[in-house]
Amino acid sequence: MVDYLKKHEKFVKEALEKELDVNWNWLRDYHKTQIGYLQHERLIHLMVTLAFALFFIVTILFAVCFEKIIILLVSLFVFILLVPYIAHYFKLENGVQRWYGLYDRIDEKCRKMTIAEE
């Protein structure tokens, strides 16, 4: 997913920087659709990350309440899985924030084009 994010971002940045002969309205709509896909992906990863975090907290509480070392090993395993989920969610979140900025730049091009046509 991160590779897809970078590939699309590179495509949009090149269109914006090189002032290619682009239909800006089409690019704005296409980019908005891609933002929607990424927002969905981000939501799913947030739910999975929160589930792992909750499970981690529950296993820690069980380990403390029942004083079982084996439950701490389960907690450690869950924590090891939780860290990459947090890192991946962080990348998705930052990517969406960057894409919002790109959308604003594309939208500005569309408005300038509309004003020039009038």
Side-chain angles (χ1 to χ4, degrees), residues 44-62 71 74-87 89:
I44 298 302
H45 278 278
L46 175 63
M47 292 187 318
V48 170
T49 301
L50 289 175
F52 267 90
L54 181 63
F55 189 60
F56 174 68
I57 291 170
V58 167
T59 57
I60 292 291
L61 291 174
F62 268 78
I71 299 175
V74 173
S75 297
L76 178 65
F77 177 71
V78 172
F79 182 73
I80 290 170
L81 290 173
L82 180 60
V83 170
Y85 272 109
I86 291 171
Y89 181 76

Side-chain angles (χ1 to χ4, degrees), residues 1 4 8 12 27-40 96 99:
M1 191 69 208
Y4 177 78
H8 177 74
V12 172
L27 185 60
R28 181 183 56 193
D29 293 341
Y30 176 72
H31 186 61
K32 188 175 184 178
T33 301
Q34 299 309 307
I35 288 173
Y37 294 149
L38 196 60
Q39 287 173 330
H40 180 264
V96 168
W99 282 18

